[in-house]
Amino acid sequence: MEQAVVYIENHLGNNIKVEDVAKAAGYSYYHLNRQFTAILGESIGSYIKKRRLADASKKLLYTDLKIIDIAIEYGFDSPEAFSRAFKAIYKTSPQSYRQNRLDTFIGSKERLDKGLLNHLVRNVTVHPKIVELPEIKVAGIRGETTLRDNRLRELWNQANSLYKQIPNRIPNARGFGICEACAENTLYTMNDDILFTEVAGTEVSSFEGLTEPFVPKVIPGGRYAVFTHRGSLQMLPQTFDYIWGTWFLTTREELDWREDFELYDKRFLGYDHPDSEVDLYIPVRHQR
């Protein structure tokens, strides 16, 4: 896998064929593509295309190169072909992306270095479970953060110190981190510097008697795609990069605009514990 990724990265600007990647890795096309899909959640061709577009998106923002030159550099025959492929991922034109300085995390597909490859192979369920949840009541505290200046650890430390004051806690209650980003932003405008709010809370049977600084929060029942993150929460951003940069762009599931959340139960052993497990719930719609 590592040899395949290195070959792709060294030839992003060339007309790469999947057969060439397989030869460089010492596998047949069929076997390598099957392993690539099983381990990383997408085909080799899909990875190559998204990596080219991710690199091109950075060139749009951080260089003065003409769009036609960027298109040609990344193997597109014309600006029109580049624009069609770009819009399919980023939902906006290359010109608009450049003008609005978006740099979103949708489609921000980072190079798979050895550390990130190991993380995806060992610590992430790249193929999520699809589950149906009932409505869940959560009481907790609300804090603000950005992805770049992540203050969620401080928020959870504060929440954990106050939990005993929350009335109607369920015995052995699960913890929930509920992202409220989607209320004001979409996945196509969110980036590392956008300020968003998160509620760090615990499961309760009712909101009766709940007072400040606590806030009530209802997780709507419905259908969710569930990923499991293993290990230190320092790597949680890389797991979300996979969800929004790979799975979201390849899945047949249709995203629902309820809030996504993390679930912490007895498998969570601490922020830096190598054996900790956290489930990440992404809302999806019922299939028609």
Side-chain angles (χ1 to χ4, degrees):
M1 293 295 292
E2 189 177 351
Q3 287 174 327
V5 168
V6 168
Y7 182 87
I8 292 169
E9 294 296 335
N10 288 339
H11 297 82
L12 270 185
N14 302 341
N15 183 23
I16 310 174
K17 295 181 179 179
V18 177
E19 290 81 1
D20 296 331
V21 179
K23 184 178 179 180
Y27 284 96
S28 69
Y29 159 80
Y30 172 77
H31 182 69
L32 181 64
N33 206 46
R34 186 177 63 177
Q35 291 298 316
F36 213 91
T37 302
I39 294 172
L40 299 179
E42 65 182 329
S43 68
I44 298 172
S46 172
Y47 176 82
I48 292 170
K49 178 182 177 181
K50 293 188 182 71
R51 279 292 298 126
R52 281 176 168 164
L53 288 170
D55 264 23
S57 74
K58 300 300 183 186
K59 292 283 179 72
L60 288 170
L61 296 181
Y62 303 114
T63 76
D64 295 324
L65 290 172
K66 294 180 179 179
I67 292 177
I68 187 172
D69 293 332
I70 296 173
I72 292 171
E73 179 180 351
Y74 287 97
F76 293 92
D77 296 332
S78 66
E80 291 76 21
F82 175 55
S83 184
R84 283 195 300 271
F86 196 90
K87 282 182 178 179
I89 298 295
Y90 297 94
K91 305 304 180 187
T92 190
S93 68
Q95 184 175 9
S96 176
Y97 193 89
R98 170 174 270 177
Q99 288 174 343
N100 292 304
R101 309 294 298 174
L102 287 173
D103 203 7
T104 58
F105 63 73
I106 286 294
S108 182
K109 196 170 189 63
E110 299 297 329
R111 176 179 180 141
L112 267 178
D113 60 22
K114 187 174 182 178
L116 182 53
L117 183 60
N118 283 339
H119 174 66
L120 292 179
V121 170
R122 301 167 191 265
N123 302 104
V124 182
T125 51
V126 297
H127 301 286
K129 296 181 296 182
I130 304 297
V131 303
E132 190 81 26
L133 280 190
E135 179 182 280
I136 301 170
K137 293 184 177 67
V138 174
I141 59 173
R142 179 178 284 122
E144 290 185 329
T145 187
T146 67
L147 294 175
R148 191 183 305 278
D149 181 23
N150 195 319
R151 300 173 185 168
L152 295 183
R153 188 171 189 173
E154 300 168 21
L155 179 65
W156 274 105
N157 287 340
Q158 183 184 1
N160 287 332
S161 70
L162 296 173
Y163 273 168
K164 291 181 180 179
Q165 301 176 32
I166 296 178
N168 307 309
R169 285 186 68 199
I170 291 175
N172 301 313
R174 299 170 294 179
F176 293 87
I178 306 167
C179 174
E180 297 182 314
C182 293
E184 298 176 0
N185 305 287
T186 73
L187 293 170
Y188 295 103
T189 59
M190 282 288 290
N191 61 40
D192 287 347
D193 296 310
I194 290 285
L195 190 69
F196 68 93
T197 58
E198 170 125 351
V199 172
T202 185
E203 202 170 1
V204 295
S205 56
S206 81
F207 298 129
E208 186 177 354
L210 193 68
T211 59
E212 293 185 353
F214 304 111
V215 296
K217 193 75 182 176
V218 175
I219 295 176
R223 197 164 177 265
Y224 291 84
V226 186
F227 297 83
T228 298
H229 168 96
R230 300 184 184 91
S232 171
L233 293 193
Q234 288 183 342
M235 292 295 288
L236 199 57
Q238 284 80 357
T239 298
F240 278 114
D241 283 346
Y242 167 77
I243 293 173
W244 300 122
T246 297
W247 174 80
F248 174 69
L249 299 175
T250 56
T251 184
R252 294 181 180 178
E253 296 290 345
E254 187 177 354
L255 197 69
D256 191 12
W257 297 106
R258 289 167 285 152
E259 293 161 339
D260 58 272
F261 62 90
E262 305 113 46
L263 185 152
Y264 302 83
D265 57 20
K266 62 183 180 181
R267 294 168 299 151
F268 180 65
L269 306 175
Y271 189 94
D272 293 313
H273 199 289
D275 297 323
S276 267
E277 292 191 6
V278 175
D279 288 336
L280 313 175
Y281 283 71
I282 309 298
V284 292
R285 295 181 180 176
H286 286 93
Q287 295 184 337
R288 297 169 186 172

